[in-house]
Amino acid sequence: MSTATTNVDHRTRVAAERRQRTRDKLVEHALLVYAEHGAGSSMIQEVIASASVAQGTFYNYFRTHHELLVAVSEQLSNDLLRVIEREVASCKLVDKRLAKGLLLFLRTARDHPVLAHFASHGGLHAAGPDSLYFAYIPRHLQEGLAQGVFTERSMLVSLDMIAGAVFACLSRMAWLDSPLPDEHIKEVVVAILRSLGLTKSRADKLAQDMPAPLAFDPTSLVARASAQHELARAARKSKKKPVNLKG
């Protein structure tokens, strides 16, 4: 390979990496803005300001607010679901696998408030059309139906019941000033499992133990946005501290 070709390849690779970093930056700052202020189209200027990019740069990556919202939703949910799927893969029983996955998802949203706040503001957009939610969950449901573990019903109805309960729980997390107790999360999972046809005793047993917290790659969107969100919260709290005037 000639030196000229090598130089061109290097420049192309560097340009692609730079472009990806800019896109990741926009997605991360959009997540933070949406979690704090809501996911309305008027937030584009807030995202541009937060990411410290030019308006033209933003529109090089996302033509509309909807495109950005879907990108944030899919990257966030996919980062999270990939980790959860690895954690539950060792569960041979499908109902145990689903229960553990739901517990992990809700626990992670509780432990990383930026997730719950984004879901609360973004609504069902938080599971975009290409989200792994629509790949993983149906697969587990179909396996459970084939084994006679879950009640026979429309796949869309089952997905709606799960998503509705999960998003309602995430919204409650976002409203509260203190972390949602383990017992509340467990009861939500029990209710979901029972809606799928499990007996109360079986559902209670599966949701009895809260799994250990997930560990995320520091470069993942979940980890990066959570760190920035916590810094912002700490900064806001410090500003609210009363001033002690002496004299």
Side-chain angles (χ1 to χ4, degrees):
M1 183 179 295
S2 68
T3 302
T5 301
T6 301
N7 289 339
V8 170
D9 289 344
H10 174 73
R11 287 196 298 270
T12 301
R13 185 173 64 255
V14 169
E17 290 172 351
R18 183 168 59 247
R19 184 174 175 81
Q20 186 61 50
R21 284 196 300 270
T22 301
R23 188 183 190 279
D24 289 345
K25 182 180 181 181
L26 286 167
V27 168
E28 179 182 337
H29 283 269
L31 171 55
L32 295 170
V33 169
Y34 290 159
E36 184 68 24
H37 302 292
S41 58
S42 61
M43 289 297 108
I44 286 181
Q45 293 304 320
E46 294 286 342
V47 173
I48 290 171
S50 178
S52 300
V53 299
Q55 184 161 309
T57 299
F58 173 87
Y59 285 107
N60 283 336
Y61 293 85
F62 302 103
R63 293 173 297 175
T64 65
H65 159 257
H66 180 71
E67 279 190 8
L68 176 61
L69 180 57
V70 169
V72 175
S73 301
E74 289 175 357
Q75 186 173 335
L76 184 64
S77 62
N78 291 350
D79 275 2
L80 178 53
L81 290 171
R82 285 191 187 96
V83 176
I84 290 176
E85 279 295 302
R86 287 198 295 269
E87 288 293 318
V88 304
S90 61
C91 299
K92 298 194 183 318
L93 299 177
V94 64
D95 55 355
K96 183 176 181 180
R97 199 183 314 139
L98 183 62
K100 184 176 181 181
L102 290 168
L103 288 169
L104 281 169
F105 186 91
L106 292 173
R107 182 200 174 127
T108 303
R110 195 260 317 268
D111 294 346
H112 299 267
V114 68
L115 305 182
H117 283 273
F118 171 70
S120 176
H121 287 306
L124 291 177
H125 282 293
D130 293 326
S131 169
L132 290 178
Y133 172 79
F134 297 108
Y136 291 147
I137 300 298
R139 188 175 68 206
H140 299 313
L141 292 176
Q142 287 167 352
E143 183 180 342
L145 287 170
Q147 295 175 6
V149 175
F150 300 141
T151 300
E152 186 76 39
R153 65 162 55 88
S154 161
M155 178 63 67
L156 290 178
V157 171
S158 295
L159 288 171
D160 286 351
M161 289 192 305
I162 295 172
V166 167
F167 279 107
C169 188
L170 295 177
S171 294
R172 185 171 298 280
M173 290 179 189
W175 299 336
L176 295 177
D177 293 328
S178 56
L180 198 66
D182 280 1
E183 290 308 311
H184 187 102
I185 292 175
K186 292 177 183 178
E187 287 183 25
V188 170
V189 173
V190 167
I192 292 172
L193 295 174
R194 296 208 65 199
S195 75
L196 295 174
L198 271 63
T199 64
K200 184 177 186 305
S201 60
R202 177 61 176 169
D204 284 341
K205 181 178 180 181
L206 291 174
Q208 182 177 3
D209 298 319
M210 182 65 74
L214 294 172
F216 290 95
D217 186 312
T219 64
S220 69
L221 180 59
V222 174
R224 297 195 327 266
S226 291
Q228 292 296 325
H229 186 68
E230 290 306 310
L231 286 173
R233 289 179 65 188
R236 287 195 299 273
K237 285 181 180 180
S238 66
K239 290 180 181 179
K240 291 180 180 179
K241 288 182 179 179
V243 177
N244 182 17
L245 298 176
K246 296 183 180 180

